[in-house]
Amino acid sequence: MVKYNDHPLYCFLSPEEKKLLQPIVKSQSFMAHETIINLGERNRDIICLEEGSVSIQVEDFEGNVNEVTRIHSGNLVGEMNFIIPTRRTANVVALTFGEADIIPFAKLCSLLKEYPLLAEKIFSALSLQLKDKYLGMINAWNYVFNRMPNSNSA
């Protein structure tokens, strides 16, 4: 598969294939400290962070907010929920002013059904993103679970 650029979602898409996505993409700006995704939401849209930085945050069992990682422009947010149908697993809060392209789940699914080769390329790009974040995710969950009270120590 030919890699055309370093964009996290469009890296394998030709210019013609990128044009297929244009009608469904919504651009959105956000301010510093604005919550972009709330833990537990059922939204499965993909967010392409074009400018700015965000903080990925989880709450421990005492309700304390812990930053897991920071994601900067040129990366995706929400790609895990696109592939795995779960509620959002973390809060995403803007650290700076930013711009993002939002790709709605239902519209993208319809487009991918119509263009199977496009689906192959999009899922390949999503796989690359998930591979890069996988280790960070494991470390974050280990941090949370290691803070759980040990039920064997009573």
Side-chain angles (χ1 to χ4, degrees):
M1 191 171 304
V2 175
K3 192 168 184 183
Y4 289 94
N5 57 60
D6 290 328
H7 190 280
L9 191 63
Y10 309 144
C11 60
F12 298 120
L13 302 184
S14 68
E16 295 78 24
E17 290 166 326
K18 282 176 61 175
K19 287 180 185 175
L20 293 171
L21 287 173
Q22 285 177 345
I24 68 168
V25 174
K26 303 182 301 184
S27 292
Q28 180 177 328
S29 298
F30 49 86
M31 303 302 294
H33 310 293
E34 183 178 340
T35 300
I36 300 167
I37 292 176
N38 287 300
L39 175 72
E41 284 181 344
R42 289 193 177 265
N43 185 324
R44 293 178 66 190
D45 298 348
I46 297 174
I47 300 170
C48 299
L49 194 58
E50 301 296 337
E51 181 183 325
S53 297
V54 298
S55 172
I56 309 301
Q57 303 171 351
V58 296
E59 291 182 23
D60 64 21
F61 293 99
E62 289 87 38
N64 300 310
V65 175
N66 299 290
E67 182 176 81
V68 175
T69 191
R70 291 181 176 199
I71 297 178
H72 307 283
S73 60
N75 287 287
L76 298 178
V77 178
E79 73 278 16
M80 184 173 71
N81 283 98
F82 179 81
I83 295 171
I84 303 168
T86 62
R87 293 177 185 259
R88 296 292 192 177
T89 57
N91 295 314
V92 177
V93 179
L95 295 170
T96 64
F97 171 81
E99 300 268 339
D101 285 342
I102 313 294
I103 303 172
F105 174 78
K107 290 181 180 181
L108 182 56
C109 287
S110 295
L111 188 65
L112 298 181
K113 285 178 189 174
E114 191 175 340
Y115 298 97
L117 185 56
L118 183 66
E120 177 186 346
K121 293 178 178 185
I122 292 288
F123 279 105
S124 293
L126 290 171
S127 293
L128 280 178
Q129 281 285 301
L130 288 173
K131 176 187 70 78
D132 292 343
K133 291 181 182 176
Y134 184 69
L135 186 56
M137 227 172 43
I138 289 172
N139 290 336
W141 285 113
N142 281 336
Y143 174 80
V144 171
F145 289 128
N146 287 333
R147 295 193 53 159
M148 290 176 55
N150 188 345
S151 59
N152 295 330
S153 61

